[in-house]
Amino acid sequence: SGKSPCIIKSSPLIELETFEFTDQMERYINESDMVISHCGSGTALDVIRGPINATVCRSHHPILIMVPNTNLM
């Protein structure tokens, strides 16, 4: 199983969660309004494709912000 997220900022308007790895990424994407990624193609495709689980009903996809990590290129 994946590590639990670390909530590093929380307010009435925003809650920011960060983690190194999780095996529950689909769940986090489906529950998010915004996803910030290091330009991983898997995360980008997961956000663009939308929820795979039919029990999740969203009227929109999360906003996707891709930040290149030049150390990985």
Side-chain angles (χ1 to χ4, degrees), residues 11-35:
S11 74
L13 299 176
I14 188 168
E15 181 177 293
L16 178 63
E17 295 181 30
T18 181
F19 43 85
E20 292 181 21
F21 174 81
T22 182
D23 57 2
Q24 300 175 17
M25 185 61 76
E26 180 184 332
R27 188 192 90 188
Y28 285 107
I29 290 172
N30 291 341
E31 294 174 355
S32 296
D33 295 317
M34 179 184 298
V35 175

Side-chain angles (χ1 to χ4, degrees), residues 24-33 46-47 49-62:
Q24 300 175 17
M25 185 61 76
E26 180 184 332
R27 188 192 90 188
Y28 285 107
I29 290 172
N30 291 341
E31 294 174 355
S32 296
D33 295 317
D46 288 343
V47 173
R49 288 181 182 147
I52 297 171
N53 183 347
T55 61
V56 176
C57 181
R58 290 185 59 91
S59 62
H60 68 281
H61 291 321

